[in-house]
Amino acid sequence: MAARVENAVLPKDFIWGFATASYQIEGAANEGGRGPSIWDTFSHTPTKTADGKTGDVACDSYHRWREDIALLKQYGAQAYRFSISWSRVIPLGGRNDPINEEGIQFYVDFVNALLEAGITPFVTLFHWDLPQALHDRYLGLLNKDEFVADFVRYATLLFDRLPMVKNWITFNEPWCSAVLGYNVGLHAPGRCSDRTKSPQGGDSTREHLIAGHSLLVAHGHTVKVYRDKYKEKAGGEIGITLNGDWMDPWDPEDPRDVEAAERKLEFSIAWFADPIYFGDYPASMRKQLGERLPTFTEEEVKLVKGSNDFYGMNHYTANYVKHKDTPPDDDDHLGNVETSFYNKAGDCVGPETQSVWLRPSPVGFRNLLNWLSKRYNYPKIYVTENGTSLKNENDIPLPDVLNDEFRAEYFRGYINALARAHNEDGVNVMAYLAWSFMDNFEWAEGYETRFGVTYVDYEDNQKRYPKLSSKVVREEFERLIKKD
Ligand code: GBH
């Protein structure tokens, strides 16, 4: 674990808080004029989520938002990141489809109440919940021109109606939308080459690459609109949030593993960040994927290159990476590598959590902050998600479950690693939003896996209870941020 940083080393204007996403918390799936999203359809399809759970009710934040804001205030949060449900504001999603004023009003009231409470809103436009109608009409992300035009219209509507928002995130984790939705099919819309899993079609060798390209181009167009017409007046910023975990070579003495670890970082992070900072996909991806990877037109390069006011970083864990001696499969999305929580020497990344993919590694966070900073020339970084689940937390009854020391220790480790990266490595990280403000619908894992600093009692009216970790996040930042 990273040692504690005792002194206030983070600048006065460093901002911290908590994050959530619409489909994971709102519920009220059929209320207020909301249309269905691909996550409604997917979660209502048998076998797609744990115990067939859906976001129909979730944390019921659509009704309990005043309580949520009071709790955020109680936690001392300076910022709150949430996402807008596209199909709540445009139920069918398209640029010529009717607007749902009731849905817009919900977000206007919410943002105004946050601001009144002194909490800065960070608004994500798209956290995976594509309006179902756009999937039905033209297969959503697979139709670049239609998707881009519809997304830009949706984003513009919100720039118009929420001029008080100064922190915009276009897309949350395009890698997840692309790979989980169109390559492995574990997330909505669940497409992949396996017809037993995806009878409606799918091609795991190509579709995720097409979806990823659409997301990048939509991001570029949206940022241009924001910069041309809104940015100056609002004094705001816009960027994209990318997921990415740290990768160490399985055998640091083997140059093929060293290269494999770098390639894995490129296949997960640089896939999206290179086009945004350099104007093209990484060479390693072009080499492995050939013509299956789309190319950027000149106009697209102009739109996408330089399109981040900040780098939104979602980060959770670390892996060891081993090269493969066999040629890559056509549906490979990893960069022809194997990942593991153990290295050749038998060292382990960290202890188990409830999420099979997640083990704590604060040092990995510091390493990745440095990797990103060096590769992209020290961009301003906002950590838009970081947090952990706890092994078997769902089996612990109230009130013991509120004593989440494992999560508290995760936050201590990661927040101090961030402080070191800022103070000792010159990393320009300026915000930190813990995932998550409260336990919520953890996608395909349903409600079994909890990530909240707030316990949500799904058996008793979604009642909220602060966990220990909510206090620890605050303690860390109150010590680390300079007072003047
Ligand atoms: C975030 O993604 C999401 O933004 C958030 O909505 C979610 O609740 C939170 O994490 C916690 O899960 O083994 O191939 O299925 C985190 C990034 C990347 C983590 C994909 C899980 C699974 C890879 N995710 N990863 S796989």
Side-chain angles (χ1 to χ4, degrees):
M1 287 273 151
R4 191 176 144 111
V5 178
E6 293 300 336
N7 302 326
V9 295
L10 295 173
K12 195 172 166 245
D13 53 344
F14 188 96
I15 185 163
W16 68 272
F18 302 96
T20 59
S22 49
Y23 193 69
Q24 296 182 271
I25 65 160
E26 280 183 8
N30 304 308
E31 280 179 63
R34 179 181 178 275
S37 80
I38 56 173
W39 266 98
D40 294 272
T41 310
F42 188 76
S43 64
H44 279 271
T45 307
T47 75
K48 298 299 183 188
T49 65
D51 300 330
K53 292 288 198 273
T54 74
D56 285 1
V57 179
C59 307
D60 196 30
S61 284
Y62 184 73
H63 298 112
R64 291 168 180 267
W65 58 272
R66 289 180 200 278
E67 197 185 318
D68 287 348
I69 292 177
L71 202 51
L72 282 164
K73 201 172 168 180
Q74 182 189 319
Y75 290 173
Q78 300 172 330
Y80 179 54
R81 173 180 180 235
F82 65 97
S83 82
I84 290 180
S85 160
W86 184 345
S87 60
R88 200 179 275 296
V89 301
I90 311 175
L92 296 173
R95 56 199 178 280
N96 299 312
D97 293 324
I99 292 167
N100 177 30
E101 288 298 337
E102 197 178 342
I104 296 191
Q105 198 57 44
F106 170 72
Y107 294 110
V108 170
D109 292 344
F110 184 72
V111 166
N112 283 334
L114 277 176
L115 290 170
E116 251 165 62
I119 300 166
T120 303
F122 278 64
V123 181
T124 311
L125 289 165
F126 184 88
H127 199 122
W128 310 349
D129 43 358
L130 181 82
Q132 179 64 37
L134 302 185
H135 180 83
D136 297 340
R137 229 174 249 171
Y138 55 76
L139 287 180
L141 310 185
L142 296 181
N143 187 327
K144 181 179 70 181
D145 293 343
E146 291 292 329
F147 175 74
V148 169
D150 285 345
F151 184 79
V152 169
R153 184 315 190 101
Y154 158 64
T156 308
L157 175 66
L158 293 166
F159 297 153
D160 273 330
R161 301 300 188 88
L162 297 172
M164 56 295 211
V165 169
K166 295 183 197 303
N167 298 277
W168 292 98
I169 294 157
T170 52
F171 294 103
N172 179 69
E173 304 186 343
W175 182 96
C176 288
S177 293
V179 170
L180 304 180
Y182 296 86
N183 170 266
V184 294
L186 292 172
H187 279 187
R191 288 172 70 88
C192 60
S193 292
D194 182 344
R195 286 295 153 272
T196 63
K197 291 187 190 145
S198 177
Q200 312 83 342
D203 178 353
S204 301
T205 73
R206 287 174 192 274
E207 285 191 356
H208 60 301
L209 304 170
I210 295 168
H213 197 78
S214 301
L215 290 166
L216 278 166
V217 174
H219 165 78
H221 274 279
T222 306
V223 170
K224 179 165 166 48
V225 169
Y226 188 70
R227 286 179 178 167
D228 286 354
K229 299 202 194 120
Y230 299 90
K231 186 178 162 73
E232 207 177 322
K233 204 162 161 213
E237 293 183 326
I238 188 163
I240 197 168
T241 279
L242 305 180
N243 56 297
D245 297 319
W246 175 245
M247 300 292 150
D248 270 316
W250 183 76
D251 176 2
E253 305 299 317
D254 186 339
R256 292 169 304 178
D257 285 354
V258 173
E259 213 181 284
E262 188 74 5
R263 192 164 63 248
K264 174 72 174 71
L265 287 166
E266 292 178 346
F267 268 70
S268 18
I269 299 173
W271 174 7
F272 298 97
D274 274 19
I276 289 173
Y277 290 94
F278 305 148
D280 202 1
Y281 291 119
S284 58
M285 289 187 76
R286 178 65 62 198
K287 187 171 169 212
Q288 179 177 318
L289 305 168
E291 54 77 39
R292 294 203 305 280
L293 184 66
T295 47
F296 290 98
T297 65
E298 256 173 63
E299 195 216 348
E300 288 172 355
V301 174
K302 270 197 213 129
L303 285 165
V304 174
K305 191 178 172 184
S307 58
N308 254 0
D309 293 337
F310 59 86
Y311 181 104
M313 176 185 189
N314 285 1
H315 178 80
Y316 289 88
T317 190
N319 278 279
Y320 292 109
V321 184
K322 200 172 195 293
H323 74 281
K324 277 187 176 175
D325 290 316
T326 49
D329 295 329
D330 282 351
D331 63 356
D332 170 63
H333 67 263
L334 298 174
N336 203 29
V337 303
E338 271 167 42
T339 61
S340 162
F341 284 124
Y342 292 87
N343 68 6
K344 190 182 178 191
D347 308 321
C348 183
V349 164
E352 268 188 286
T353 68
Q354 184 64 25
S355 314
V356 286
W357 52 272
L358 200 174
R359 287 174 183 240
S361 169
V363 63
F365 185 29
R366 184 172 176 183
N367 288 337
L368 187 61
L369 283 162
N370 274 276
W371 186 87
L372 290 172
S373 297
K374 285 187 193 123
R375 188 174 179 107
Y376 301 117
N377 195 20
Y378 292 81
K380 178 159 68 176
I381 297 175
Y382 292 160
V383 176
T384 44
E385 282 181 31
N386 176 241
T388 191
S389 58
L390 244 92
K391 187 92 185 141
N392 298 328
E393 187 178 22
N394 199 36
D395 302 333
I396 307 173
L398 277 168
D400 294 0
V401 69
L402 306 180
N403 189 20
D404 60 339
E405 174 54 30
F406 182 87
R407 180 176 290 107
E409 186 58 20
Y410 179 99
F411 283 130
R412 286 187 204 107
Y414 275 75
I415 292 168
N416 283 278
L418 173 148
R420 282 183 193 284
H422 190 288
N423 191 42
E424 296 168 34
D425 310 336
V427 166
N428 185 18
V429 54
M430 289 301 291
Y432 177 94
L433 301 158
W435 186 271
S436 178
F437 170 46
M438 59 187 151
D439 296 336
N440 56 48
F441 178 68
E442 177 59 5
W443 308 111
E445 288 174 48
Y447 296 94
E448 253 163 50
T449 305
R450 296 173 178 265
F451 270 86
V453 300
T454 307
Y455 181 80
V456 176
D457 190 349
Y458 300 110
E459 306 296 313
D460 180 15
N461 286 307
Q462 330 326 86
K463 246 178 113 177
R464 286 106 159 97
Y465 301 83
K467 299 182 195 172
L468 168 72
S469 55
S470 65
K471 300 184 186 73
V472 168
V473 172
R474 177 186 201 155
E475 269 166 27
E476 292 307 298
F477 282 113
E478 289 191 342
R479 184 182 76 254
L480 290 167
I481 298 175
K482 293 178 182 153
K483 303 281 177 296
D484 45 32

